[in-house]
Amino acid sequence: MSELILASRSAARRAMLTGAGVRFNVVDAGVDEPAIKAAFGYDDPAALAVELAKAKALAVSRQEPGAWVLGSDQTLAFEGALVSKAPTLAAARDRLRTMRGRIHHLHSGAALARDGAVAWSGVDTAQMAMREFSDAFLDAYLDAEGEPVLAAVGAYRLEGMGSQLFDRVDGDYFTVLGMPLWAVLTELRRAGVIAA
């Protein structure tokens, strides 16, 4: 089997691959995400998720000849606008208040690169229907979850207490966690990284 490197610091992405039985190493891509977003534009959040994934995969691929490198990223679109990670718990509180009772979309992009070239890329989208939760619940949620929610673009982790923020999710669970895992596994089999 070929070597796989995950070009992401995301604990959720590491857990997905580990849970699926995929062996890999982790190398931080160290890309300038704000610069990539500014250069690419904000009009197409799904395409931007793929562009960020490609940038990560390529950055590490150029440093690791012969290895397959998996880059992945996620964007959140709410009412036609791209939403970035909340910098503080107060900002997360304001964002969640604004999104409650409404729908937003999570776009999870992924890319596989080898020797400085992208071999595959893809994206999947989940539609997230947030419920009308109370301010008291929101405060209790943020108190319980704390600073780790700032690492998630929506200020929630569906695999934790964040699941209580929603009435409905239309889409794949792994896409919500931050990677289109089924498509990634298919491509890893095609590339000979995991058994077919």
Side-chain angles (χ1 to χ4, degrees), residues 100-149:
R100 70 180 163 193
R102 298 180 183 173
I103 289 173
H104 65 271
H105 295 88
L106 289 175
H107 306 285
S108 288
L112 268 177
R114 190 175 196 188
D115 295 324
V118 173
W120 169 84
S121 64
V123 66
D124 192 45
T125 299
Q127 180 173 283
M128 314 292 291
M130 225 171 234
R131 70 180 181 88
E132 283 281 2
F133 46 81
S134 67
D135 283 347
F137 173 81
L138 177 57
D139 290 341
Y141 162 73
L142 289 172
D143 287 346
E145 292 291 283
E147 298 278 330
V149 300

Side-chain angles (χ1 to χ4, degrees), residues 9 12 18 28 37 45 64 93 118 154 160 180 182:
R9 293 175 297 189
T18 300
D28 183 9
K37 290 177 182 178
E64 301 286 344
R93 180 177 282 108
V118 173
W182 303 121

Side-chain angles (χ1 to χ4, degrees), residues 1-5 17-18 20-25 188 193-194:
M1 298 292 143
S2 300
E3 179 187 7
L4 176 67
I5 296 172
L17 290 175
T18 300
V22 177
R23 294 172 59 148
F24 62 97
N25 294 313
L188 292 177
V193 175
I194 59 175

Side-chain angles (χ1 to χ4, degrees), residues 7-72:
S8 174
R9 293 175 297 189
S10 165
R13 292 184 188 108
R14 289 194 309 267
M16 277 187 266
L17 290 175
T18 300
V22 177
R23 294 172 59 148
F24 62 97
N25 294 313
V26 176
V27 175
D28 183 9
V31 298
D32 185 346
E33 290 189 31
I36 295 167
K37 290 177 182 178
F40 186 79
Y42 302 95
D43 295 339
D44 188 342
L48 178 59
V50 174
E51 195 66 21
L52 290 163
K54 286 179 180 178
K56 289 178 178 180
L58 286 171
V60 174
S61 175
R62 291 179 184 117
Q63 302 167 13
E64 301 286 344
W68 284 99
V69 180
L70 173 62
S72 191

